[in-house]
Amino acid sequence: MSQIESGWGSPPSAKYEQLAEKFRPLFANIRAGAIARELRREPPLEEIEWLKQSGFTALRLPQSAGGAGATLSELFTLLIELGEADSNLVQSLRGHFGFIENVLSNRDPAFQQQWFTRIARGEIVGPAWSETGEARQSVFSTQIKRSGDSWRLDGKKFYTTGSLYSDWINIGLTDENHKGVSVTVSRTAPGVTVLDDWNGFGQTLTASGTAIFENVEIQHTDISEDAHFGYSPAFYQLIHLATLAGIGRAQSGEVAALVAARTRTYSNGNATRAADDAQILQVVGRLRSAAYTSGAIVQHAAQALKRAFEAQQQDDEQQKTQSVAIAELEVSQSLNVVTDLLLNASTTLFDALGASATLKPLALDRFWRNARTLSSHNPRIYKDRIVGDFAVNGTLPPEQWRIGVADTPPEK
């Protein structure tokens, strides 16, 4: 069924249904095995390959470069649909889609052509930016050092989400002059080790663990300045919100199906069948409303990102800065609303089903665990303050942020 027929509202464009129709059978196949993968902790290697072969991972590339030419609004709506099938896959591809935005924003034709060709072939790129321990916000412990005519890379990264499934790894690091740069290396290059050691209680199949780089050879042409596309913080946060919206659709659909099939009921219930009990229907209705509202918010915020992307293609610096700040503001305004809706819904869903809903084969607990984990990745406690500061003082959100130990101010 179309998005409108399914009750999820208007699609983001006139061509969206034609675009989505290609992937919906694939999403259905992915969803069919989601619970089994969760229970057995089976990495979605085959499912990632399906997405690569289908062209999903090249959605944002121009049609002339072998992609679908999807807008950001179309991309985020499709990510909601993929999140409904399996939220692990959206998060696993988060770094890849962010890398594509960097490629689209790059003004070097040779760089663009190189990566357009690779991505059109189905190759995907995973991230390796975050560090633990004594990592600082302005300087990475992961560094490159000159070795003859080339460079050598050494370091260790965590939260390398999806890199285990990727063909390439994009790495944030510091050069010999303490300047922030990035390199992209083959995941199978000598000296590269990616561990499946993510042990969080949610989003367990995202391979968000450790990547180790030991004496990895780097060519000078592989080194790029540490320059993200301007709307990157809003982009990465909105992917988490799209994943949450997908979780909302999945849990409302699974609970509705379980209620429809339920034969047992309580003696103090309102009907002989749970499917006819007004209070049970109310719980299911609230779950679906949370999913609808979350999806509508994500689709609306994606329009702000689309405007920021379009402004970035122009030469008006003031317009670029303003559009990026507004996109960050809109996502900040969305973040806690969507998060609260899904955290609450993933808890109250059990009220519709009773104790049998806690049985492990149903894996209904994964919805709360996944929603809670995603909510912890987004720095949600700061968002209301940022929004309030704009409302009261007109202060625009910060352009960039990085997790790490705060740098010590220089002594005066």
Side-chain angles (χ1 to χ4, degrees):
M1 290 191 293
S2 69
Q3 181 161 298
I4 290 178
E5 292 170 331
S6 300
W8 299 125
S10 299
S13 68
K15 69 172 186 175
Y16 178 77
E17 287 302 327
Q18 181 180 359
L19 183 63
E21 195 62 34
K22 174 182 177 182
F23 301 108
R24 283 175 178 153
L26 173 57
F27 295 162
N29 288 337
I30 289 172
R31 186 172 186 178
I35 292 177
R37 288 192 299 275
E38 180 79 16
L39 295 174
R40 299 170 187 165
R41 206 180 189 283
E42 293 178 352
L45 297 172
E46 185 177 20
E47 290 71 22
I48 290 285
E49 194 61 33
W50 293 346
L51 291 168
K52 291 167 65 173
Q53 293 177 1
S54 71
F56 187 86
T57 55
L59 277 169
R60 284 281 286 150
L61 262 60
Q63 291 181 332
S64 59
T71 66
L72 282 168
S73 300
E74 292 165 346
L75 171 66
F76 277 95
T77 308
L78 281 169
L79 290 178
I80 294 173
E81 293 202 32
L82 176 58
E84 181 181 7
D86 188 338
S87 64
N88 289 289
L89 290 169
V90 182
Q91 190 178 351
S92 295
L93 293 172
R94 179 172 175 257
H96 171 73
F97 283 116
F99 184 84
I100 291 176
E101 294 304 308
N102 267 332
V103 174
L104 292 171
S105 301
N106 196 291
R107 297 299 180 93
D108 182 352
F111 177 85
Q112 275 199 337
Q113 185 57 52
Q114 179 187 55
W115 284 104
F116 280 172
T117 300
R118 290 171 175 172
I119 293 166
R121 286 200 299 254
E123 297 176 22
I124 59 177
V125 183
W129 284 74
S130 297
E131 296 179 353
T132 57
E134 290 301 313
R136 296 189 175 274
Q137 292 173 342
S138 63
V139 179
F140 288 113
S141 62
T142 303
Q143 299 185 354
I144 52 171
K145 295 182 179 180
R146 192 179 298 275
S147 176
D149 294 332
S150 62
W151 299 73
R152 294 290 170 172
L153 164 66
D154 288 282
K156 186 176 182 180
K157 298 286 188 175
F158 197 61
Y159 297 120
T160 59
T161 305
S163 287
L164 186 67
Y165 311 140
S166 301
D167 303 284
W168 302 89
I169 304 177
N170 181 243
I171 310 156
L173 46 87
T174 302
D175 67 11
E176 289 180 319
N177 299 315
H178 303 289
K179 179 182 178 181
V181 296
S182 67
V183 298
T184 305
V185 303
S186 170
R187 183 179 59 81
T188 58
V192 176
T193 304
V194 183
L195 305 176
D196 187 14
D197 60 347
W198 169 243
N199 62 355
F201 61 65
Q203 294 295 99
T204 57
L205 304 179
T206 57
S208 296
T210 303
I212 302 169
F213 306 96
E214 299 173 294
N215 200 34
V216 180
E217 184 175 10
I218 303 294
Q219 301 301 318
H220 180 74
T221 53
D222 296 328
I223 303 172
S224 302
E225 290 188 7
D226 178 5
H228 288 291
F229 55 102
Y231 51 93
S232 59
F235 177 90
Y236 287 120
Q237 290 173 90
L238 194 59
I239 286 188
H240 281 332
L241 297 189
T243 312
L244 286 170
I247 288 173
R249 290 190 187 182
Q251 68 184 8
S252 67
E254 287 188 25
V255 171
L258 290 168
V259 167
R262 187 171 172 81
T263 57
R264 299 177 65 226
T265 188
Y266 289 100
S267 59
N268 56 355
N270 302 295
T272 56
R273 294 176 64 247
D276 297 323
D277 190 311
Q279 286 183 276
I280 300 298
L281 294 176
Q282 183 181 37
V283 173
V284 178
R286 286 179 175 174
L287 296 180
R288 186 175 173 88
S289 295
Y292 172 83
T293 304
S294 299
I297 290 172
V298 170
Q299 290 182 64
H300 191 78
Q303 293 287 344
L305 287 181
K306 181 173 178 286
R307 293 192 298 270
F309 168 76
E310 291 169 349
Q312 192 165 271
Q313 308 307 304
Q314 309 302 318
D315 294 324
D316 188 333
E317 292 299 326
Q318 183 177 0
Q319 184 182 7
K320 289 181 188 178
T321 300
Q322 180 71 8
S323 64
V324 165
I326 294 301
E328 178 70 21
L329 177 68
E330 290 201 33
V331 173
S332 295
Q333 290 172 166
S334 307
L335 199 147
N336 276 326
V337 175
V338 172
T339 299
D340 289 344
L341 281 170
L342 269 299
L343 287 177
N344 182 63
S346 59
T347 298
T348 59
L349 69 85
F350 294 94
D351 294 335
L353 296 166
S356 59
T358 67
L359 297 176
K360 286 185 178 180
L362 295 179
L364 292 175
D365 62 306
R366 77 188 191 278
F367 294 127
W368 182 88
R369 290 187 291 102
N370 291 343
R372 180 65 269 180
T373 300
L374 287 162
S375 304
S376 300
H377 283 314
N378 267 352
R380 66 185 300 246
I381 64 168
Y382 302 117
K383 295 305 172 179
D384 289 338
R385 171 185 57 79
I386 290 172
V387 172
D389 198 9
F390 173 81
V392 175
N393 302 309
T395 306
L396 293 174
E399 293 183 5
Q400 296 278 359
W401 46 265
R402 176 179 290 159
I403 297 173
V405 179
D407 295 322
T408 303
E411 294 184 6
K412 295 182 179 179

